[in-house]
Amino acid sequence: MTAASSPPFKFVVLDGTPDLLTTPHMAQSVQPPNSASDSEPDDSRSLSTHTIQNQNPKLLHLSFNQDHSCFSVATDSGFRVYNCDPVRELFRRDSDQRGVGMVQMLFRYQILALVGGGPDPLYPPSKVMMWDDNESRCIGELSFRSEVRGVRLRRDRIVVVLEHKIFLYNISDLTLDHQIVTISNPKGLCEVSQGSGHPLLVCPGIQKGQVRVDHYGSKRTKFIVAHDSRLACLGLTQDGRLLATASSKGTLVRIFNALDGSLLQEVRRGAERAEIYSLAFSSGAQWLAVSSDKGTVHVFSVKVDSGSLGCERSHRRSASESNLPSPSGISPLSFMKGFSFSGVLPKYFSSEWSVAKYHLQDGLRYIVAFGHQKNTVVILGMDGSFYRCQFDPENGGEMTQIEYYNFLKPEETS
């Protein structure tokens, strides 16, 4: 396998930055194994460049792009794309009240992967449509026998997740590169590295709580027994060196060396069960953010140098990072480690806790990423809320909200 240096589409970068133009060579329709469809790219239901008529759309899906500079929103009447800093709408596409259930951007290019969803899907939920917004049309299609659960993009690959299988395609011609069999994966869990080299892909294995790691450069596959319970969420650094996992219990998050599968760190979100919605590393892999249905976003300090993992694992950090006060994540009850309670000290009391946290509405789905401003996180809610919060890396505690925006109803933004 060889990695493409740039995608072979005709790209127009958003925000008025210089155009990147190459000749489009994407196949118009590709039927993967087990495909039932013989159709051409579905243009019978098209997206309009006019302003969306539905003023109260229902959100069906939220996602950041690969470098967290943009986010995309799928609704029951089309999709929208926003810039993160400053937050503002870049464009929206109307689908005449037909739903887009999933949308994934490719960095800041106007190439998006769309999957139909909602009561009246724009496209079948079993198809991935490659939409070129510069051409205002679908330029390729991948069709399957079952519903698409997730899509991931990188400059040289398209990853499509079904409930029991994952397909990896070359983005240049949509030829099938690899397929993986997984345990039941209704959430479409899968992450792929975004570096310029060969991809590294992580996904559920074939057993409960197991993570499969595929190294396409060395053509190696490794299985990590990450949890006793089923997997609930995965996070991966851009370079593919660090992997974060959470189970359906949602109390602990584990950080692994994705290169050799070794456990590097374990942090505690809380004592009560929770559904983990997102895991995100900062660009330098110094911090890990976690969102859950408890309405809280936590930021943890990552106590490992990811750059050293390729040769010699290191747990050492600089003095300014390793000598943080108690809010940096050490339990305030860790002094009790020397005492014995019936010979066993509950693991809870010696856990690593978050450096900082921010409280939101309970029960609402939020996803989180690190902002481009220093020590900030960006939080997106399924109610249309956008929060930019800042955390204190030394003193920790409650994060400070520095910006709020309702991207569905900007006129109501305070």
Side-chain angles (χ1 to χ4, degrees):
M1 281 174 285
T2 59
S5 58
S6 62
F9 301 120
K10 182 178 181 181
F11 287 136
V12 178
V13 184
L14 303 174
D15 268 344
T17 50
D19 293 355
L20 300 180
L21 302 177
T22 55
T23 304
H25 292 302
M26 172 171 276
Q28 286 297 298
S29 181
V30 174
Q31 309 302 330
N34 302 321
S35 171
S37 173
D38 295 318
S39 63
E40 292 299 311
D42 186 357
D43 290 322
S44 60
R45 294 184 168 189
S46 60
L47 289 157
S48 168
T49 58
H50 299 301
T51 301
I52 293 179
Q53 297 174 357
N54 184 2
Q55 297 302 315
N56 296 293
K58 179 182 178 181
L59 257 65
L60 301 178
H61 183 258
L62 283 171
S63 65
F64 288 99
N65 69 342
Q66 292 79 1
D67 62 5
H68 305 152
S69 63
C70 295
F71 66 93
S72 51
V73 177
T75 76
D76 60 357
S77 59
F79 71 88
R80 309 178 184 189
V81 172
Y82 296 82
N83 190 67
C84 283
D85 191 10
V87 57
R88 64 184 180 89
E89 184 178 309
L90 295 173
F91 63 92
R92 59 170 73 182
R93 296 296 172 252
D94 181 26
S95 58
D96 193 24
Q97 310 302 311
R98 295 187 174 101
V100 175
M102 193 181 306
V103 55
Q104 290 285 341
M105 296 182 66
L106 179 58
F107 289 92
R108 296 183 68 84
Y109 301 121
Q110 287 180 301
I111 297 291
L112 303 99
L114 306 178
V115 179
D120 186 11
L122 176 64
Y123 305 115
S126 59
K127 287 186 177 184
V128 177
M129 310 299 294
M130 298 305 297
W131 174 265
D132 183 342
D133 204 71
N134 184 54
E135 300 286 342
S136 295
R137 66 183 182 92
C138 287
I139 57 174
E141 158 187 332
L142 293 164
S143 183
F144 303 88
R145 288 187 182 273
S146 61
E147 184 175 337
V148 174
R149 300 293 188 176
V151 180
R152 298 292 183 269
L153 302 178
R154 54 175 271 149
R155 287 187 172 93
D156 57 354
R157 298 290 194 278
I158 301 172
V159 181
V160 181
V161 186
L162 309 183
E163 184 159 349
H164 293 278
K165 281 189 176 182
I166 294 177
F167 297 94
L168 189 74
Y169 297 92
N170 291 303
I171 205 168
S172 59
D173 54 10
L174 294 188
T175 55
L176 182 63
D177 190 21
H178 191 217
Q179 59 179 301
I180 297 168
V181 175
T182 71
I183 195 171
S184 177
N185 184 18
K187 291 186 175 182
L189 301 181
C190 181
E191 298 297 334
V192 64
S193 64
Q194 296 296 331
S196 58
H198 295 280
L200 180 143
L201 183 146
V202 297
C203 66
I206 53 176
Q207 298 177 4
K208 182 177 64 175
Q210 184 186 69
V211 179
R212 173 177 174 142
V213 183
D214 282 278
H215 305 259
Y216 288 94
S218 58
K219 298 182 180 180
R220 292 185 299 111
T221 299
K222 189 163 191 69
F223 292 90
I224 301 172
V225 181
H227 300 273
D228 295 329
S229 306
R230 61 179 175 82
L231 295 173
C233 199
L234 299 173
L236 191 67
T237 53
Q238 291 270 318
D239 59 12
R241 292 175 180 267
L242 292 181
L243 163 68
T245 68
S247 76
S248 56
K249 290 183 179 179
T251 54
L252 297 173
V253 175
R254 294 187 172 124
I255 301 174
F256 295 89
N257 180 343
L259 303 178
D260 65 14
S262 58
L263 176 64
L264 301 176
Q265 190 175 349
E266 181 180 274
V267 298
R268 181 171 289 276
R269 183 213 54 81
E272 298 179 357
R273 294 182 71 102
E275 183 177 359
I276 304 298
Y277 290 140
S278 67
L279 298 169
F281 286 97
S282 62
S283 59
Q286 182 183 352
W287 308 103
L288 174 69
V290 181
S291 66
S292 73
D293 66 347
K294 294 298 183 182
T296 307
V297 170
H298 293 267
V299 173
F300 297 91
S301 174
V302 178
K303 295 179 171 61
V304 61
D305 180 5
S306 66
S308 68
L309 295 180
C311 48
E312 178 184 25
R313 199 184 325 144
S314 170
H315 294 270
R316 295 173 297 177
R317 302 295 295 267
S318 66
S320 62
E321 294 173 347
S322 60
N323 295 325
L324 297 177
S326 60
S328 66
I330 303 301
S331 166
L333 299 176
S334 60
F335 70 91
M336 300 171 66
K337 280 196 276 189
F339 296 89
S340 174
F341 295 85
S342 302
V344 178
L345 178 73
K347 195 173 183 181
Y348 177 89
F349 293 118
S350 58
S351 298
E352 279 190 58
W353 296 77
S354 59
V355 174
K357 58 187 176 181
Y358 187 74
H359 291 89
L360 300 149
Q361 178 182 335
D362 287 5
L364 189 66
R365 179 178 290 271
Y366 295 94
I367 63 172
V368 63
F370 284 88
H372 289 196
Q373 300 177 31
K374 188 176 181 180
N375 300 330
T376 61
V377 294
V378 172
I379 305 166
L380 305 178
M382 289 296 287
D383 59 350
S385 56
F386 174 103
Y387 296 89
R388 194 188 315 277
C389 300
Q390 190 166 43
F391 62 94
D392 186 331
E394 294 189 358
N395 297 315
E398 187 76 10
M399 286 188 262
T400 302
Q401 178 185 312
I402 58 178
E403 186 177 3
Y404 170 80
Y405 183 81
N406 188 317
F407 54 82
L408 290 183
K409 300 177 180 178
E411 68 280 358
E412 296 182 10
T413 298
S414 56

